Amino acid sequence: MLRMLLLPVVLTIAATGAACADKVTTFTLNNGLEAIVIEDHRAPVVTQMLWYKIGAADEAPGKSGIAHFLEHLMFKGTATVAPGDFSKIVEAQGGNDNAFTTQDYTGYFQRVAADRLELMMQMEADRMRGLILTDDIVKTERSVILEERAQRTDSDPGALFSEQRDAAQYMNSPYGIPVIGWRHEMAALSREDALNFYHTYYAPNNAILIVAGDIAPDAVKALAEKYYGPIAPTANLPIRMRPTEPPQLAERRLSMADARVAQPYVIRTYLAPERNSGAQDKAAALTYLAELLGGSSTTSVLARAMQFGADAKAIYTSAFYDGISLDETTFGFVVMPVPGVSLADAEADMDKVIAKFLVDGVDQAAFDRIKRQLRADDIYARDNVGGLAREYGASLTSGLTVADVQAWPQVLQAVTPDAVMQAAHEVLNRKNAVTGWLTQPVDPKTEAKP
Amino acid sequence: MKMRFVFAALVAFALPAQAEIPIQAVTSPGGIKAWLVEDHGIPFTALEILFRGGTSLDPVDQRGVVNLMTALIEEGAGDLDAQGFAEARDALAAQFSFSANDDSIGVSAQFLTENQAEATDLLHLALTQPRFDADAVERVRGQVISNIQSNAKDPATIAQRRFDMMAFGKHPYGSADSGTEQSVAGLSRADIVAANKASLVRDRVYVAAAGDIDAEKLGILLDKLLGDLPATGAALPPDAVYALKGGVTVVDFPSPQSSVVFGQQGIKRDDPDFIPAYMLNEILGGGRFSARLMTEVRDKRGLTYGIGTYLWPMDHAELMLGQFSSANANVAPAIGLIKQEWADVVKDGVTADELAAIKTYLTGSYPLRFDGNSRIAGILVGMQIEGLPIDYAKTRNEKIEAVTLDDMAKIVKRLLKPDDLHFVVVGQPDGLTTTP
């Protein structure tokens, strides 16, 4: 959830890459603020990102959406910066700024000429503790987040269905609650809710500072000590312990019909392990599995089996997995059938393809191509220092360490076909799965139910 | 027309500027011109190619053929079928993408230095010997039709399409460049081959490269890659006549929120007043939080999640467009505010503070755009197709600094026409109906 829509691509987290960053330096301030400096001196630009280890999944029951709402409200002023002036001051320096919230983290960033970093740090440190909110401001901004929900979720049947599927996937984990919040709870969020959340969780010992670009680590450290250093840590910071999933014993199936659906599809997600500190092998194997089964619309196992030939069943197939997550994540498939093929047939065909893969095993040539591409991605990723900064931020707020991020490319290169098959057999278990059909409204007599 | 917001960023990036980046003009032994920024820090090269013409080259009865052809370029070439081509590309870890819009076809490539020769050969194969196999045509045709069906149910796309249709009628700009289900269903392989020969041609090609390559190697690469394309192609379309008057058009669509596209005529990219016009748009409706529309419609009243306007100069017409979404109850007040802002600027102009702030922002943010090979190559190819000189980067900020309040007053009077604003509203807005 971004504060604003008009910057696309901001949240794309590269699956690989950071280990090749030219120079990565870390330090920790006495108050617990962790800092990472990623040097890239090709252009006179610097990005400051401040990541809080707090996200929507850390919200109290009944307060869904408060993490994201607070993210919006963080631009509403302090004793020294008037409401709405934060972005104006950044723009007056020729910079851009924005913020984002997910289940696991909340982040703020500014992108400016390298010699403007000090002011950015001063302002970011100022609003870590100095936020001032009035009831009027909170009320108006609440209308904005309700419009945001209307635009991004309520107007999009795919997004609405995704919320319903997540709620079914996670029986106990707060990942079953949408980041933006359920509308009825959002409408009741108050100034007090926002400030409680803010005072509880926004603290130097709950944050990670990332500065990327044309700057030396020593200079960053001096500025960080000057602006963030004096902020006292929060002594009673709540331990990040969330409800976790019990064993999932029963497959869940759901269908949703909406007149706005143009292309029906079947989508299945399985509960899957995430990357864990010091133990990323399984996630690396699942990364290959997703690529092999559904990474390419031309050469993946699903595409070859379902999208080619005279009796092709699907217009589109894909497999997806993102291992950066604090708690258990999902591995998924989506299949969009060609006109005339029912979702039941498409799903049956998809299951046949998966079953055959589990018997046949990995095609070595395909495996080798993916391995080479993952290595090359590591090189291409270095072209985008902002992307590297996001990868570190997302990882470190999701339970990983700098060492884990830097080890990841090697972990990927060490994956074997056997490891991929073992992960496949473990994860592709229908008891852990939610299968969804998103359809157009149809005559109930002509379409089977999932 | 399609994907206007995505491309809008490119227009902004393609503005002149002042970065300290040495841009080399390269002419290959065979006479193909390109701009190059050398940077040997990372062992790969980003290559951006644009062919002027794009989907507006569609023959009248073949709407969508350039779009379909472009989607088929990497679906098999030479002795490789679609899967064989993808395997070869992936084995090289090269990245190719092909896109088409109203005025151009784009080719983006990234390849590792160690695979440069092989990657170039493979891309050359796609550009010069695409197979357009029957099964690939049918498969991709199905995907294109699926997209057309999705767009037909997307309120933001419906709004944009309706605006285009009312503005430009039968000109290619007046219809979706992916075509209709019927027109795409009727395209033959011969149509696709003809579109390929008519659009990927040498005398309308613009090239930029950035990364781990020098001028000599780039010259050799360009001859290999583009040297045997046809010299020239189909005639470009005539200019489009803007036929839309001020008013409101409501398209009924059951949804809690309405999607709105609004606009009026804009200004040509090569107009001497383009820079002040660009600054005016940024002050009034730029996608930043300090822009007037964002302040009034979002920050002060919470009527939308985001609103922005932009200048949209095309090769054969020019628009000033805006977009937002609002709950059905909020649309009419939001439209009232937009009209009021338009009228206020016409009445009172912009302030000295606003002018100073936009100068600081635009001149300061310019160098931030040039941070990476891919982005640099994209900016450079855009500058070329817009006809900007190679040293424009150095003078761009001076041109912005030189703009006075008088210049702004002049462009306000010339550009902004409150009575001409037309709003296309897709939804079920309270208290709004189509004006006669």
Side-chain angles (χ1 to χ4, degrees), chain B residues 52-173:
Chain B
R52 189 187 296 281
T55 55
S56 297
L57 296 176
D58 284 349
V60 173
D61 56 347
Q62 295 174 24
R63 192 57 168 151
V65 68
V66 169
N67 179 66
L68 178 61
M69 182 278 293
T70 306
L72 282 161
I73 293 176
E74 64 176 341
E75 295 288 340
D79 55 0
L80 299 169
D81 65 8
Q83 291 174 350
F85 186 88
E87 286 169 2
R89 180 200 59 214
D90 293 349
L92 295 170
Q95 302 181 346
F96 303 149
S97 72
F98 304 87
S99 60
N101 66 40
D102 295 318
D103 291 331
S104 63
I105 292 173
V107 180
S108 300
Q110 294 191 70
F111 44 81
L112 302 178
T113 303
E114 66 190 45
N115 295 332
Q116 184 190 303
E118 296 91 332
T120 306
D121 286 342
L122 192 64
L123 185 56
H124 173 248
L125 203 63
L127 290 176
T128 56
Q129 297 175 51
R131 288 165 46 136
F132 304 124
D133 289 336
D135 63 333
V137 170
E138 291 320 308
R139 185 164 41 83
V140 175
R141 192 199 307 269
Q143 291 164 354
V144 168
I145 288 175
S146 163
N147 283 337
I148 292 170
Q149 290 167 341
S150 293
N151 286 334
K153 294 206 172 186
D154 177 58
T157 309
I158 294 169
Q160 195 175 280
R161 294 274 157 81
R162 181 62 68 94
F163 188 98
D164 293 339
M165 190 182 83
M166 292 192 297
F168 297 121
K170 289 193 177 346
H171 190 279
Y173 288 172

Side-chain angles (χ1 to χ4, degrees), chain A residues 315-337:
Chain A
I315 244 170
Y316 173 80
T317 62
S318 181
F320 51 90
Y321 171 75
D322 177 2
I324 299 182
S325 179
L326 187 59
D327 298 316
E328 273 183 293
T329 184
T330 58
F331 184 100
F333 299 111
V334 58
V335 171
M336 190 179 279

Side-chain angles (χ1 to χ4, degrees), chain B residues 3-16:
Chain B
M3 295 305 286
R4 200 173 263 141
F5 264 116
V6 173
F7 199 71
L10 284 183
V11 171
F13 283 175
L15 267 185

